[in-house]
Amino acid sequence: MKKDQRDVSVLLFLKTRNQDVVIGKLCSRKQFLPHEIIFEILSWLPAESLLRFKCVCKEWYYLIQDRDFIKKHLSRTPLLMVYDEDERAGLSISGTIQETFTRIDHVSGVILEKGDLSHNYRIRNPITRQILFLPDPHKGTVEISIYRCQSTYEFKLVSIYRDKKTSGMQGFEVLTIDVDDKWRSLKLPGSQECRMNLEILRKTHKAIYYDDGTDFYGDVYCLDVETECFFINTLPQGLFSDLSKVLAVDWDGCLAYADIVEEKLNVIVLEDYRKHRWSQRKIIVPLAFLREIQITDDNFLAPVIFHSNKLYFLLLDDKLFVYDIQLRKITETNPVSWENKSLYTMRHSLVTFKDMQPEKIPPATDF
Amino acid sequence: MSSSIASSSSSSSSSSKKEKKISLKTSDGEVFEVEEPVAMQLEIVRSFFADNEDVTEQTVMPLPNVSTAAMHGILEYCRAHEEFRRRMPEAAPEEEVRAFEAGYVDRKSNEELKEMILAANYLNISKLLDFLTGVAAKRIENKSVEYVRAFFGVENDFTPEEEANLRREYEWAFEGVDED
């Protein structure tokens, strides 16, 4: 009998900041969920389901392409391990050349790709199947990274070029997607018009870290992408006995240096690159699983990322291990490459940019 | 009939002789006596007792948007989590928590699930709300658009042409969908 009371029209109140706001009327036994709860439920769904549910009704359609929703969804999307897709064929910017593209970087579900023939750069979201062609970077570009700013949610590209005309001088350029229509040059700190050989050491969600490949663990150039400023940091001396065994690790977004000695991982973290602050002590992680893996001199085990209590290790070029430091066991093992496609971690997202267009895969030609 | 669960499901909480209880009254007039640490997981209850100085242990807090059925489900979850916390204050026994949560929702119909989501939202228990909305998502992720409309009681307000265009635009997202 009590249950039937719900059949009578009941006003549904929702508490928002000490105010009771009437948000809906329940007229039958069926429960109707308010907008904010639909938002919560949909934010847990895989991106592909969301594309399908865009045609449930107009409210859902607008919700699913809402910026705040896309952000929330991204924050709840699991990190996946994926292999590169088969060769990506597509039309070049002019629409005439048919060529393949190769992945060079990725962030938040979008992939930065380079044309194998034209050297055009484009961004592709493999879930929404949309692409955006980018303006040409400086001649002699050697490396481009794509980065998402944490607070502004802007996406930026950073490139390094080596200018052949000026005897290999190095320069940086930056481009904010949806804002800039041209690359802007980026100043290095000091006046030294870069005679160095900076290359990417690690890209994390907090910064892009560069160092001089020829100088063994010298200065690290930490690019704060949001403010477009470099901060130079130096690894304190005497922390590691053999620098040739030290590796750079993405430690929850911070840069860290680590080595493995006697089944223990020793880590020094650059906690704040703006204040040049390194962790006081070495973090020591016991690695019980090392006993089970045959380590010889030529299959080197390298820590790569530490993220939400999980450590990702590469065993030379062979396998990737995910080690849970709380459970103290390996939770996942994957071959690093499979049928010549390499493994990488990424999230599937609905991230989209202003001038993105549907990716047109040219129809297969019959002969 | 089912009201006996209200007092008996706390059987696992030890030495409950003089434990402080908080009285909560559901929309259909049933009063639940809930152990304080469990009741305090309900943010709406916690702030009610923190903000009002004149409430006493005898105060019965009315919860007009929560049915007795939903309250049973809510308390079962909160009591289980209080028990986990009591046993392992440092880190929750993840595998056990997952096993409990899986069994917990398997028994709930879609309508019951939605009713509990509304209750968890009103009572402001963010952990439970995250969990239940995640469960609802799992139940629809491979379903058809028609199934989802029925699940949520949503009217289709697109014209047939608009809907056909959307389906064409994302045709790959309509492959491999479960039978309703």
Side-chain angles (χ1 to χ4, degrees):
Chain A
M1 219 188 83
K2 276 177 187 167
K3 265 197 169 162
D4 291 336
Q5 287 177 349
R6 270 184 290 142
D7 286 350
V8 194
S9 139
V10 188
L11 281 180
L12 179 69
F13 290 94
L14 217 105
K15 215 147 176 110
T16 13
R17 290 209 198 107
N18 303 327
Q19 276 181 311
D20 284 340
V21 183
V22 185
I23 54 141
K25 219 173 183 184
L26 294 184
C27 298
S28 71
R29 187 178 283 199
K30 196 151 184 123
Q31 302 286 346
F32 287 96
L33 302 178
H35 187 79
E36 61 180 59
I37 288 182
I38 301 286
F39 183 106
E40 289 292 315
I41 294 174
L42 298 192
S43 69
W44 297 108
L45 285 172
E48 199 142 295
S49 304
L50 290 169
L51 293 181
R52 181 166 70 248
F53 297 157
K54 271 186 159 187
C55 71
V56 164
C57 65
K58 285 182 182 161
E59 184 192 332
W60 284 38
Y61 176 83
Y62 290 114
L63 172 65
I64 290 166
Q65 60 185 33
D66 177 75
R67 216 175 131 92
D68 289 333
F69 177 77
I70 293 174
K71 264 194 227 181
K72 181 76 170 189
H73 176 253
L74 186 59
S75 73
R76 288 183 162 173
T77 314
L79 199 59
L80 302 172
M81 301 230 209
V82 288
Y83 290 95
D84 275 322
E85 296 156 67
D86 287 326
E87 287 198 328
R88 305 294 312 171
L91 293 179
S92 191
I93 196 160
S94 58
T96 51
I97 320 165
Q98 195 179 311
E99 65 171 328
T100 51
F101 286 80
T102 305
R103 173 178 62 87
I104 53 175
D105 196 16
H106 62 277
V107 76
S108 304
V110 290
I111 302 173
L112 174 68
E113 294 176 323
K114 185 183 178 187
D116 297 331
L117 299 171
S118 64
H119 304 299
N120 286 143
Y121 288 90
R122 68 175 194 181
I123 293 171
R124 184 170 63 91
N125 182 328
I127 294 301
T128 62
R129 301 194 185 180
Q130 286 183 316
I131 49 168
L132 174 74
F133 277 99
L134 299 168
D136 287 339
H138 200 284
K139 273 216 166 64
T141 289
V142 283
E143 230 165 14
I144 303 188
S145 322
I146 182 164
Y147 180 90
R148 177 170 64 83
C149 300
Q150 297 297 301
S151 63
T152 60
Y153 211 74
E154 279 178 328
F155 285 75
K156 290 188 182 185
L157 298 159
V158 182
S159 91
I160 309 179
Y161 61 87
R162 224 154 270 144
D163 202 333
K164 289 208 180 79
K165 268 186 247 153
T166 53
S167 61
M169 284 282 223
Q170 198 176 34
F172 282 78
E173 284 186 318
V174 65
L175 182 130
T176 308
I177 302 170
D178 278 352
V179 176
D180 296 328
D181 45 18
K182 277 205 296 276
W183 290 83
R184 296 176 280 117
S185 83
L186 185 63
K187 275 237 169 71
L188 271 161
S191 56
Q192 352 101 305
E193 256 326 26
C194 209
R195 214 162 275 111
M196 285 167 296
N197 245 322
L198 290 182
E199 49 189 56
I200 294 185
L201 183 61
R202 281 268 170 258
K203 185 188 80 169
T204 75
H205 68 267
K206 289 190 176 161
I208 308 179
Y209 302 91
Y210 299 90
D211 78 342
D212 192 326
T214 57
D215 182 6
F216 212 60
Y217 296 115
D219 294 339
V220 192
Y221 287 69
C222 312
L223 175 60
D224 187 86
V225 186
E226 208 153 316
T227 58
E228 299 178 9
C229 289
F230 281 98
F231 296 83
I232 305 175
N233 284 277
T234 314
L235 175 66
Q237 299 237 313
L239 288 168
F240 296 102
S241 53
D242 184 356
L243 277 178
S244 69
K245 296 231 161 84
V246 173
L247 291 154
V249 187
D250 171 352
W251 199 263
D252 264 335
C254 295
L255 179 70
Y257 289 105
D259 68 355
I260 298 173
V261 179
E262 288 165 1
E263 295 182 6
K264 286 191 187 83
L265 181 75
N266 306 291
V267 191
I268 285 286
V269 185
L270 176 55
E271 289 169 346
D272 189 336
Y273 57 79
R274 287 187 198 85
K275 293 183 178 144
H276 312 288
R277 196 180 73 223
W278 295 80
S279 54
Q280 291 276 316
R281 264 182 230 116
K282 277 186 189 169
I283 299 167
I284 298 168
V285 185
L287 304 173
F289 75 95
L290 280 183
R291 253 163 272 165
E292 296 147 38
I293 298 170
Q294 294 288 316
I295 305 276
T296 61
D297 275 348
D298 39 40
N299 70 351
F300 195 64
L301 187 74
V304 189
I305 305 174
F306 174 72
H307 176 66
S308 47
N309 277 328
K310 294 201 171 69
L311 254 166
Y312 295 69
F313 283 97
L314 281 176
L315 182 62
L316 201 62
D317 246 1
D318 182 24
K319 279 196 193 74
L320 185 135
F321 296 96
V322 185
Y323 178 70
D324 190 310
I325 66 166
Q326 245 171 12
L327 302 175
R328 293 196 175 192
K329 61 180 185 196
I330 291 175
T331 53
E332 204 174 330
T333 313
N334 280 295
V336 171
S337 65
W338 176 68
E339 290 185 353
N340 288 328
K341 297 168 193 168
S342 51
L343 179 75
Y344 64 107
T345 54
M346 100 155 218
R347 294 172 206 279
H348 285 164
S349 81
L350 296 169
V351 167
T352 184
F353 303 112
K354 235 173 16 202
D355 295 321
M356 268 192 146
Q357 44 183 291
E359 174 186 10
K360 286 186 196 102
I361 300 163
T365 35
D366 285 336
F367 291 105
Chain B
M1 274 195 297
S2 60
S3 62
S4 60
I5 303 170
S7 46
S8 66
S9 62
S10 61
S11 58
S12 49
S13 59
S14 51
S15 69
S16 56
K17 258 189 181 167
K18 254 283 165 247
E19 204 173 17
K20 198 175 159 192
K21 301 261 184 164
I22 284 177
S23 302
L24 305 173
K25 191 173 166 189
T26 55
S27 60
D28 24 21
E30 191 160 331
V31 176
F32 285 71
E33 303 233 314
V34 184
E35 313 80 71
E36 192 187 17
V38 174
M40 289 308 153
Q41 290 183 47
L42 283 51
E43 181 54 33
I44 197 174
V45 174
R46 201 200 58 75
S47 58
F48 177 80
F49 281 88
D51 299 346
N52 296 302
E53 284 167 3
D54 47 347
V55 294
T56 66
E57 273 183 54
Q58 278 73 47
T59 308
V60 177
M61 183 180 174
L63 297 170
N65 290 329
V66 185
S67 71
T68 295
M71 196 58 164
H72 280 300
I74 300 265
L75 289 178
E76 185 190 346
Y77 180 92
C78 292
R79 283 189 173 122
H81 275 269
E82 175 59 21
E83 190 61 31
F84 289 134
R85 200 190 58 80
R86 208 183 290 214
R87 267 190 13 236
M88 297 180 72
E90 302 284 295
E94 260 188 64
E95 277 167 40
E96 245 182 279
V97 172
R98 239 173 281 151
F100 161 76
E101 290 185 338
Y104 174 76
V105 289
D106 273 357
R107 287 175 271 129
K108 306 262 182 290
S109 71
N110 288 346
E111 287 307 309
E112 285 170 321
L113 176 64
K114 285 192 283 175
E115 191 179 358
M116 287 195 49
I117 289 175
L118 285 168
N121 185 49
Y122 168 73
L123 298 170
N124 201 351
I125 319 169
S126 58
K127 206 173 156 188
L128 178 60
L129 185 64
D130 282 355
F131 167 63
L132 293 174
T133 50
V135 170
K138 266 269 163 284
R139 288 192 184 180
I140 60 168
E141 72 173 27
N142 278 322
K143 298 292 187 186
S144 71
V145 170
E146 291 74 17
Y147 179 95
V148 171
R149 282 186 191 133
F151 185 102
F152 289 97
V154 175
E155 291 275 331
N156 174 19
D157 49 4
F158 286 113
T159 64
E161 292 81 37
E162 285 171 334
E163 188 176 341
N165 282 341
L166 280 174
R167 282 178 187 260
R168 213 171 308 125
E169 196 178 339
Y170 303 111
E171 56 187 357
W172 63 91
F174 289 84
E175 290 160 12
V177 171
D178 292 350
E179 297 270 319
D180 288 352

